[in-house]
C-alpha cells in the first residue's frame, strides 16, 4: 500500500510541476535556468496535452498555452481515476 501512496505522491508532484509550468509565463518574462529545466521536465505531458487539445478544439487559437493547461487537466483526471481504482 505504501508503494501506491509513493507513486501517487510522485504523480501529484508532477501535476504540480505542470501547473507551475503553465502559470510561470503569466508572472515572469525573464528566462531563467530553472524555467528551462521545468519546461524540459514537463515537455512529454505538454505534448500529450497539445494532441488532446487539437482533438477537442481543432485549430482554434487561444491567448494562453492550452496544451500546458490540458496536460494539467489530463494529469488530474488520470490521478483521480487511478486513485479511485486502487483505493
Amino acid at each position: 500500500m505504501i508503494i501506491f501512496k509513493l507513486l501517487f505522491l510522485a504523480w501529484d508532484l508532477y501535476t504540480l510541476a505542470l501547473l507551475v509550468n503553465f502559470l510561470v509565463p503569466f508572472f515572469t518574462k525573464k528566462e531563467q535556468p530553472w524555467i528551462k529545466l521545468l519546461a524540459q521536465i514537463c515537455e512529454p505531458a505538454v505534448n500529450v496535452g497539445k494532441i488532446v487539445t487539437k482533438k477537442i478544439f481543432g485549430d482554434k487559437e487561444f491567448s494562453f498555452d492550452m496544451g500546458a493547461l490540458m496536460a494539467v487537466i489530463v494529469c488530474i483526471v488520470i490521478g483521480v481515476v487511478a486513485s479511485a481504482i486502487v483505493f
Side-chain angles (χ1 to χ4, degrees):
M1 216 46 169
I2 190 130
I3 294 172
F4 285 121
K5 288 186 180 187
L6 289 174
L7 288 173
F8 283 116
L9 176 65
W11 189 264
D12 290 341
L13 290 174
Y14 190 69
T15 304
L16 182 64
L18 286 171
L19 184 62
V20 169
N21 183 48
F22 171 70
L23 293 175
V24 161
F26 296 115
F27 295 107
T28 183
K29 299 296 180 198
K30 296 179 186 174
E31 194 64 33
Q32 298 176 357
W34 68 271
I35 296 174
K36 289 181 182 180
L37 178 65
L38 183 64
Q40 288 176 347
I41 292 170
C42 297
E43 186 177 1
V46 172
N47 289 338
V48 171
K50 288 179 182 178
I51 293 170
V52 172
T53 301
K54 188 162 183 112
K55 295 275 186 186
I56 293 174
F57 297 109
D59 291 331
K60 188 174 180 183
E61 293 291 324
F62 296 96
S63 61
F64 53 90
D65 188 6
M66 188 62 175
L69 180 61
M70 191 61 71
V72 174
I73 293 169
V74 167
C75 276
I76 289 172
V77 169
I78 289 173
V80 168
V81 169
S83 179
I85 291 171
V86 172
F87 299 113

